[in-house]
mmCIF file of all heavy atoms in Angstrom:
data_model
loop_
_atom_site.group_PDB
_atom_site.id
_atom_site.type_symbol
_atom_site.label_atom_id
_atom_site.label_comp_id
_atom_site.label_asym_id
_atom_site.label_seq_id
_atom_site.Cartn_x
_atom_site.Cartn_y
_atom_site.Cartn_z
ATOM 1 N N GLY A 1 37.597 11.996 14.430
ATOM 2 C CA GLY A 1 37.654 13.433 14.620
ATOM 3 C C GLY A 1 39.103 13.895 14.633
ATOM 4 O O GLY A 1 39.980 13.202 15.166
ATOM 5 N N VAL A 2 39.361 15.048 14.043
ATOM 6 C CA VAL A 2 40.663 15.667 14.117
ATOM 7 C C VAL A 2 40.486 16.896 15.003
ATOM 8 O O VAL A 2 39.840 17.876 14.606
ATOM 9 C CB VAL A 2 41.212 16.033 12.722
ATOM 10 C CG1 VAL A 2 42.602 16.679 12.836
ATOM 11 C CG2 VAL A 2 41.279 14.791 11.854
ATOM 12 N N VAL A 3 41.017 16.801 16.198
ATOM 13 C CA VAL A 3 40.663 17.741 17.272
ATOM 14 C C VAL A 3 41.928 18.288 17.938
ATOM 15 O O VAL A 3 42.992 17.681 17.852
ATOM 16 C CB VAL A 3 39.798 17.055 18.335
ATOM 17 C CG1 VAL A 3 38.483 16.589 17.750
ATOM 18 C CG2 VAL A 3 40.541 15.868 18.976
ATOM 19 N N PRO A 4 41.789 19.417 18.655
ATOM 20 C CA PRO A 4 42.922 19.907 19.437
ATOM 21 C C PRO A 4 43.309 18.897 20.509
ATOM 22 O O PRO A 4 42.458 18.419 21.273
ATOM 23 C CB PRO A 4 42.432 21.211 20.063
ATOM 24 C CG PRO A 4 41.267 21.623 19.221
ATOM 25 C CD PRO A 4 40.653 20.338 18.734
ATOM 26 N N GLU A 5 44.573 18.540 20.583
ATOM 27 C CA GLU A 5 45.030 17.624 21.622
ATOM 28 C C GLU A 5 44.670 18.149 22.987
ATOM 29 O O GLU A 5 44.293 17.374 23.894
ATOM 30 C CB GLU A 5 46.557 17.443 21.500
ATOM 31 C CG GLU A 5 47.136 16.412 22.449
ATOM 32 C CD GLU A 5 48.630 16.227 22.220
ATOM 33 O OE1 GLU A 5 49.261 17.130 21.626
ATOM 34 O OE2 GLU A 5 49.152 15.191 22.646
ATOM 35 N N LEU A 6 44.738 19.444 23.169
ATOM 36 C CA LEU A 6 44.392 20.103 24.431
ATOM 37 C C LEU A 6 42.967 19.767 24.855
ATOM 38 O O LEU A 6 42.678 19.635 26.051
ATOM 39 C CB LEU A 6 44.548 21.618 24.245
ATOM 40 C CG LEU A 6 44.126 22.563 25.358
ATOM 41 C CD1 LEU A 6 44.975 22.309 26.602
ATOM 42 C CD2 LEU A 6 44.239 24.009 24.920
ATOM 43 N N GLN A 7 42.075 19.603 23.896
ATOM 44 C CA GLN A 7 40.669 19.418 24.212
ATOM 45 C C GLN A 7 40.333 17.985 24.624
ATOM 46 O O GLN A 7 39.304 17.772 25.299
ATOM 47 C CB GLN A 7 39.813 19.794 22.981
ATOM 48 C CG GLN A 7 38.341 19.898 23.263
ATOM 49 C CD GLN A 7 37.566 20.395 22.025
ATOM 50 O OE1 GLN A 7 38.127 20.543 20.949
ATOM 51 N NE2 GLN A 7 36.292 20.671 22.202
ATOM 52 N N VAL A 8 41.168 17.021 24.274
ATOM 53 C CA VAL A 8 40.793 15.608 24.514
ATOM 54 C C VAL A 8 41.770 14.877 25.417
ATOM 55 O O VAL A 8 41.706 13.652 25.522
ATOM 56 C CB VAL A 8 40.667 14.851 23.168
ATOM 57 C CG1 VAL A 8 39.511 15.406 22.350
ATOM 58 C CG2 VAL A 8 41.964 14.918 22.369
ATOM 59 N N ARG A 9 42.652 15.597 26.080
ATOM 60 C CA ARG A 9 43.647 14.919 26.915
ATOM 61 C C ARG A 9 42.996 14.056 27.983
ATOM 62 O O ARG A 9 43.426 12.913 28.229
ATOM 63 C CB ARG A 9 44.574 15.953 27.564
ATOM 64 C CG ARG A 9 45.595 16.538 26.619
ATOM 65 C CD ARG A 9 46.390 17.665 27.258
ATOM 66 N NE ARG A 9 47.323 18.249 26.303
ATOM 67 C CZ ARG A 9 47.956 19.396 26.485
ATOM 68 N NH1 ARG A 9 47.735 20.086 27.604
ATOM 69 N NH2 ARG A 9 48.784 19.882 25.585
ATOM 70 N N GLU A 10 41.972 14.581 28.644
ATOM 71 C CA GLU A 10 41.309 13.832 29.689
ATOM 72 C C GLU A 10 40.623 12.590 29.143
ATOM 73 O O GLU A 10 40.709 11.509 29.719
ATOM 74 C CB GLU A 10 40.317 14.731 30.435
ATOM 75 C CG GLU A 10 39.688 14.045 31.647
ATOM 76 C CD GLU A 10 38.832 15.016 32.445
ATOM 77 O OE1 GLU A 10 39.033 16.232 32.351
ATOM 78 O OE2 GLU A 10 37.928 14.512 33.172
ATOM 79 N N ARG A 11 39.945 12.734 28.021
ATOM 80 C CA ARG A 11 39.258 11.582 27.404
ATOM 81 C C ARG A 11 40.266 10.524 26.942
ATOM 82 O O ARG A 11 39.998 9.327 27.027
ATOM 83 C CB ARG A 11 38.397 12.040 26.240
ATOM 84 C CG ARG A 11 37.137 12.795 26.659
ATOM 85 C CD ARG A 11 36.299 13.165 25.442
ATOM 86 N NE ARG A 11 35.112 13.912 25.766
ATOM 87 C CZ ARG A 11 33.908 13.422 26.002
ATOM 88 N NH1 ARG A 11 33.755 12.094 25.968
ATOM 89 N NH2 ARG A 11 32.882 14.193 26.266
ATOM 90 N N LEU A 12 41.419 10.966 26.452
ATOM 91 C CA LEU A 12 42.461 10.009 26.069
ATOM 92 C C LEU A 12 42.986 9.268 27.278
ATOM 93 O O LEU A 12 43.179 8.049 27.251
ATOM 94 C CB LEU A 12 43.605 10.741 25.367
ATOM 95 C CG LEU A 12 43.307 11.295 23.971
ATOM 96 C CD1 LEU A 12 44.446 12.205 23.499
ATOM 97 C CD2 LEU A 12 43.100 10.158 22.953
ATOM 98 N N ALA A 13 43.211 10.008 28.370
ATOM 99 C CA ALA A 13 43.732 9.390 29.596
ATOM 100 C C ALA A 13 42.737 8.381 30.169
ATOM 101 O O ALA A 13 43.141 7.336 30.731
ATOM 102 C CB ALA A 13 44.064 10.449 30.628
ATOM 103 N N GLN A 14 41.449 8.657 30.034
ATOM 104 C CA GLN A 14 40.424 7.768 30.556
ATOM 105 C C GLN A 14 40.054 6.635 29.595
ATOM 106 O O GLN A 14 39.244 5.775 29.946
ATOM 107 C CB GLN A 14 39.162 8.571 30.893
ATOM 108 C CG GLN A 14 39.376 9.575 32.016
ATOM 109 C CD GLN A 14 38.172 10.462 32.248
ATOM 110 O OE1 GLN A 14 37.239 10.472 31.460
ATOM 111 N NE2 GLN A 14 38.208 11.233 33.340
ATOM 112 N N GLY A 15 40.625 6.640 28.386
ATOM 113 C CA GLY A 15 40.332 5.599 27.430
ATOM 114 C C GLY A 15 39.040 5.781 26.651
ATOM 115 O O GLY A 15 38.633 4.869 25.929
ATOM 116 N N GLU A 16 38.388 6.932 26.795
ATOM 117 C CA GLU A 16 37.153 7.187 26.035
ATOM 118 C C GLU A 16 37.450 7.411 24.567
ATOM 119 O O GLU A 16 36.589 7.179 23.711
ATOM 120 C CB GLU A 16 36.422 8.389 26.608
ATOM 121 C CG GLU A 16 35.926 8.224 28.033
ATOM 122 C CD GLU A 16 35.252 9.481 28.551
ATOM 123 O OE1 GLU A 16 34.793 10.285 27.716
ATOM 124 O OE2 GLU A 16 35.200 9.658 29.780
ATOM 125 N N LEU A 17 38.644 7.911 24.252
ATOM 126 C CA LEU A 17 39.087 8.113 22.898
ATOM 127 C C LEU A 17 40.466 7.514 22.733
ATOM 128 O O LEU A 17 41.254 7.451 23.697
ATOM 129 C CB LEU A 17 39.120 9.608 22.552
ATOM 130 C CG LEU A 17 37.783 10.323 22.396
ATOM 131 C CD1 LEU A 17 38.006 11.816 22.280
ATOM 132 C CD2 LEU A 17 37.007 9.793 21.190
ATOM 133 N N LEU A 18 40.772 7.091 21.508
ATOM 134 C CA LEU A 18 42.090 6.572 21.174
ATOM 135 C C LEU A 18 42.714 7.467 20.114
ATOM 136 O O LEU A 18 42.021 7.951 19.210
ATOM 137 C CB LEU A 18 41.996 5.134 20.633
ATOM 138 C CG LEU A 18 41.359 4.103 21.578
ATOM 139 C CD1 LEU A 18 41.253 2.756 20.864
ATOM 140 C CD2 LEU A 18 42.146 3.978 22.877
ATOM 141 N N CYS A 19 44.025 7.697 20.224
ATOM 142 C CA CYS A 19 44.720 8.513 19.239
ATOM 143 C C CYS A 19 45.155 7.634 18.069
ATOM 144 O O CYS A 19 45.760 6.578 18.252
ATOM 145 C CB CYS A 19 45.932 9.158 19.880
ATOM 146 S SG CYS A 19 46.865 10.237 18.755
ATOM 147 N N LEU A 20 44.799 8.046 16.857
ATOM 148 C CA LEU A 20 45.208 7.330 15.650
ATOM 149 C C LEU A 20 46.498 7.964 15.120
ATOM 150 O O LEU A 20 46.609 9.177 15.006
ATOM 151 C CB LEU A 20 44.111 7.416 14.576
ATOM 152 C CG LEU A 20 42.684 7.117 15.005
ATOM 153 C CD1 LEU A 20 41.765 7.169 13.790
ATOM 154 C CD2 LEU A 20 42.581 5.748 15.659
ATOM 155 N N ARG A 21 47.452 7.128 14.813
ATOM 156 C CA ARG A 21 48.722 7.635 14.270
ATOM 157 C C ARG A 21 49.267 8.779 15.116
ATOM 158 O O ARG A 21 49.308 9.937 14.702
ATOM 159 C CB ARG A 21 48.538 8.101 12.840
ATOM 160 C CG ARG A 21 48.182 7.042 11.817
ATOM 161 C CD ARG A 21 49.355 6.088 11.561
ATOM 162 N NE ARG A 21 50.511 6.821 11.077
ATOM 163 C CZ ARG A 21 50.775 7.079 9.781
ATOM 164 N NH1 ARG A 21 49.908 6.643 8.864
ATOM 165 N NH2 ARG A 21 51.859 7.696 9.428
ATOM 166 N N PRO A 22 49.695 8.521 16.347
ATOM 167 C CA PRO A 22 50.186 9.572 17.241
ATOM 168 C C PRO A 22 51.345 10.380 16.621
ATOM 169 O O PRO A 22 51.621 11.516 17.081
ATOM 170 C CB PRO A 22 50.658 8.804 18.482
ATOM 171 C CG PRO A 22 49.879 7.536 18.445
ATOM 172 C CD PRO A 22 49.714 7.183 16.995
ATOM 173 N N ASP A 23 52.014 9.823 15.640
ATOM 174 C CA ASP A 23 53.130 10.523 15.002
ATOM 175 C C ASP A 23 52.676 11.636 14.057
ATOM 176 O O ASP A 23 53.491 12.465 13.608
ATOM 177 C CB ASP A 23 54.001 9.539 14.217
ATOM 178 C CG ASP A 23 53.199 8.765 13.156
ATOM 179 O OD1 ASP A 23 52.107 8.291 13.497
ATOM 180 O OD2 ASP A 23 53.699 8.635 12.022
ATOM 181 N N ILE A 24 51.380 11.649 13.727
ATOM 182 C CA ILE A 24 50.871 12.663 12.777
ATOM 183 C C ILE A 24 50.047 13.709 13.543
ATOM 184 O O ILE A 24 49.119 13.362 14.298
ATOM 185 C CB ILE A 24 49.975 11.995 11.713
ATOM 186 C CG1 ILE A 24 50.754 10.916 10.950
ATOM 187 C CG2 ILE A 24 49.429 13.051 10.747
ATOM 188 C CD1 ILE A 24 51.933 11.449 10.184
ATOM 189 N N GLY A 25 50.369 14.947 13.333
ATOM 190 C CA GLY A 25 49.619 16.036 13.953
ATOM 191 C C GLY A 25 49.637 17.273 13.053
ATOM 192 O O GLY A 25 50.579 17.486 12.300
ATOM 193 N N ILE A 26 48.601 18.061 13.123
ATOM 194 C CA ILE A 26 48.509 19.324 12.378
ATOM 195 C C ILE A 26 48.818 20.466 13.341
ATOM 196 O O ILE A 26 48.150 20.610 14.377
ATOM 197 C CB ILE A 26 47.113 19.529 11.766
ATOM 198 C CG1 ILE A 26 46.754 18.351 10.847
ATOM 199 C CG2 ILE A 26 47.051 20.852 11.014
ATOM 200 C CD1 ILE A 26 47.663 18.234 9.649
ATOM 201 N N GLU A 27 49.838 21.229 13.040
ATOM 202 C CA GLU A 27 50.250 22.328 13.897
ATOM 203 C C GLU A 27 49.628 23.620 13.361
ATOM 204 O O GLU A 27 49.928 24.052 12.240
ATOM 205 C CB GLU A 27 51.782 22.469 13.915
ATOM 206 C CG GLU A 27 52.530 21.171 14.246
ATOM 207 C CD GLU A 27 52.406 20.808 15.709
ATOM 208 O OE1 GLU A 27 52.155 21.711 16.525
ATOM 209 O OE2 GLU A 27 52.575 19.604 16.034
ATOM 210 N N VAL A 28 48.768 24.242 14.165
ATOM 211 C CA VAL A 28 48.084 25.480 13.747
ATOM 212 C C VAL A 28 48.555 26.611 14.619
ATOM 213 O O VAL A 28 48.281 26.656 15.837
ATOM 214 C CB VAL A 28 46.558 25.306 13.865
ATOM 215 C CG1 VAL A 28 45.851 26.633 13.512
ATOM 216 C CG2 VAL A 28 46.067 24.191 12.950
ATOM 217 N N ALA A 29 49.286 27.538 14.015
ATOM 218 C CA ALA A 29 49.793 28.694 14.731
ATOM 219 C C ALA A 29 48.694 29.758 14.822
ATOM 220 O O ALA A 29 48.030 30.043 13.819
ATOM 221 C CB ALA A 29 51.014 29.279 14.027
ATOM 222 N N LEU A 30 48.497 30.313 16.008
ATOM 223 C CA LEU A 30 47.460 31.302 16.236
ATOM 224 C C LEU A 30 48.103 32.664 16.573
ATOM 225 O O LEU A 30 49.155 32.740 17.190
ATOM 226 C CB LEU A 30 46.550 30.869 17.378
ATOM 227 C CG LEU A 30 45.755 29.581 17.162
ATOM 228 C CD1 LEU A 30 44.986 29.216 18.419
ATOM 229 C CD2 LEU A 30 44.814 29.726 15.956
ATOM 230 N N TYR A 31 47.398 33.734 16.166
ATOM 231 C CA TYR A 31 47.873 35.100 16.390
ATOM 232 C C TYR A 31 46.723 35.965 16.886
ATOM 233 O O TYR A 31 45.573 35.766 16.537
ATOM 234 C CB TYR A 31 48.386 35.696 15.076
ATOM 235 C CG TYR A 31 49.529 34.913 14.448
ATOM 236 C CD1 TYR A 31 49.237 33.816 13.606
ATOM 237 C CD2 TYR A 31 50.859 35.242 14.691
ATOM 238 C CE1 TYR A 31 50.260 33.094 13.042
ATOM 239 C CE2 TYR A 31 51.876 34.495 14.113
ATOM 240 C CZ TYR A 31 51.593 33.444 13.295
ATOM 241 O OH TYR A 31 52.591 32.699 12.712
ATOM 242 N N TRP A 32 47.067 36.933 17.734
ATOM 243 C CA TRP A 32 46.104 37.927 18.195
ATOM 244 C C TRP A 32 46.318 39.210 17.396
ATOM 245 O O TRP A 32 47.405 39.743 17.318
ATOM 246 C CB TRP A 32 46.282 38.237 19.678
ATOM 247 C CG TRP A 32 45.556 39.451 20.177
ATOM 248 C CD1 TRP A 32 46.097 40.623 20.622
ATOM 249 C CD2 TRP A 32 44.131 39.622 20.270
ATOM 250 N NE1 TRP A 32 45.136 41.500 21.008
ATOM 251 C CE2 TRP A 32 43.920 40.921 20.793
ATOM 252 C CE3 TRP A 32 43.046 38.825 19.964
ATOM 253 C CZ2 TRP A 32 42.620 41.429 21.001
ATOM 254 C CZ3 TRP A 32 41.755 39.317 20.175
ATOM 255 C CH2 TRP A 32 41.553 40.608 20.710
ATOM 256 N N HIS A 33 45.232 39.678 16.761
ATOM 257 C CA HIS A 33 45.234 40.950 16.020
ATOM 258 C C HIS A 33 44.313 41.936 16.724
ATOM 259 O O HIS A 33 43.236 41.553 17.181
ATOM 260 C CB HIS A 33 44.697 40.732 14.611
ATOM 261 C CG HIS A 33 45.523 39.836 13.739
ATOM 262 N ND1 HIS A 33 46.351 40.296 12.758
ATOM 263 C CD2 HIS A 33 45.654 38.470 13.722
ATOM 264 C CE1 HIS A 33 46.959 39.292 12.142
ATOM 265 N NE2 HIS A 33 46.526 38.164 12.704
ATOM 266 N N GLN A 34 44.727 43.185 16.780
ATOM 267 C CA GLN A 34 43.814 44.224 17.279
ATOM 268 C C GLN A 34 44.124 45.541 16.594
ATOM 269 O O GLN A 34 45.243 45.792 16.135
ATOM 270 C CB GLN A 34 43.926 44.387 18.795
ATOM 271 C CG GLN A 34 45.182 45.064 19.302
ATOM 272 C CD GLN A 34 45.178 45.289 20.794
ATOM 273 O OE1 GLN A 34 45.159 44.328 21.576
ATOM 274 N NE2 GLN A 34 45.193 46.539 21.203
ATOM 275 N N TRP A 35 43.064 46.363 16.496
ATOM 276 C CA TRP A 35 43.238 47.662 15.892
ATOM 277 C C TRP A 35 44.072 48.575 16.776
ATOM 278 O O TRP A 35 43.936 48.536 18.010
ATOM 279 C CB TRP A 35 41.873 48.323 15.649
ATOM 280 C CG TRP A 35 41.132 47.724 14.485
ATOM 281 C CD1 TRP A 35 40.073 46.869 14.549
ATOM 282 C CD2 TRP A 35 41.427 47.929 13.101
ATOM 283 N NE1 TRP A 35 39.692 46.516 13.266
ATOM 284 C CE2 TRP A 35 40.495 47.172 12.362
ATOM 285 C CE3 TRP A 35 42.380 48.686 12.418
ATOM 286 C CZ2 TRP A 35 40.496 47.130 10.980
ATOM 287 C CZ3 TRP A 35 42.373 48.661 11.020
ATOM 288 C CH2 TRP A 35 41.444 47.891 10.337
ATOM 289 N N LYS A 36 44.920 49.343 16.172
ATOM 290 C CA LYS A 36 45.527 50.489 16.867
ATOM 291 C C LYS A 36 44.542 51.624 16.785
ATOM 292 O O LYS A 36 44.238 52.101 15.695
ATOM 293 C CB LYS A 36 46.837 50.908 16.189
ATOM 294 C CG LYS A 36 47.930 49.854 16.197
ATOM 295 C CD LYS A 36 49.134 50.377 15.415
ATOM 296 C CE LYS A 36 50.219 49.339 15.300
ATOM 297 N NZ LYS A 36 51.350 49.817 14.463
ATOM 298 N N LEU A 37 44.032 52.045 17.910
ATOM 299 C CA LEU A 37 43.024 53.069 17.893
ATOM 300 C C LEU A 37 43.693 54.440 17.838
ATOM 301 O O LEU A 37 44.672 54.700 18.538
ATOM 302 C CB LEU A 37 42.125 52.964 19.129
ATOM 303 C CG LEU A 37 41.493 51.580 19.331
ATOM 304 C CD1 LEU A 37 40.498 51.600 20.441
ATOM 305 C CD2 LEU A 37 40.849 51.108 18.034
ATOM 306 N N GLY A 38 43.157 55.336 17.000
ATOM 307 C CA GLY A 38 43.820 56.600 16.773
ATOM 308 C C GLY A 38 43.049 57.787 17.300
ATOM 309 O O GLY A 38 41.840 57.794 17.361
ATOM 310 N N ASP A 39 43.777 58.873 17.710
ATOM 311 C CA ASP A 39 43.131 60.091 18.141
ATOM 312 C C ASP A 39 42.990 61.020 16.944
ATOM 313 O O ASP A 39 43.280 60.680 15.806
ATOM 314 C CB ASP A 39 43.918 60.727 19.294
ATOM 315 C CG ASP A 39 45.357 61.061 18.903
ATOM 316 O OD1 ASP A 39 45.687 61.036 17.671
ATOM 317 O OD2 ASP A 39 46.133 61.360 19.797
ATOM 318 N N ASP A 40 42.547 62.219 17.182
ATOM 319 C CA ASP A 40 42.290 63.166 16.092
ATOM 320 C C ASP A 40 43.567 63.536 15.331
ATOM 321 O O ASP A 40 43.513 63.959 14.184
ATOM 322 C CB ASP A 40 41.640 64.434 16.638
ATOM 323 C CG ASP A 40 40.206 64.190 17.070
ATOM 324 O OD1 ASP A 40 39.621 63.184 16.607
ATOM 325 O OD2 ASP A 40 39.703 64.982 17.866
#
């Protein structure tokens, strides 16, 4: 699985999952968009 590191930190620490190639990661930048609401 290719998963958010944030989501599996506990499982990694407990040994339930192992990280493959720790040097390789996909960085996904996130943005919040919202409408500017207009009056008359």
Side-chain angles (χ1 to χ4, degrees):
V2 181
V3 298
E5 185 177 20
L6 174 64
Q7 192 175 7
V8 294
R9 284 174 182 166
E10 186 173 338
R11 288 182 182 268
L12 290 170
Q14 294 174 351
E16 296 178 24
L17 290 171
L18 301 176
C19 181
L20 312 183
R21 295 290 301 271
D23 56 315
I24 302 297
I26 302 296
E27 309 286 337
V28 176
L30 297 176
Y31 301 85
W32 167 247
H33 296 256
Q34 73 176 65
W35 285 105
K36 297 176 183 176
L37 306 188
D39 59 13
D40 289 339

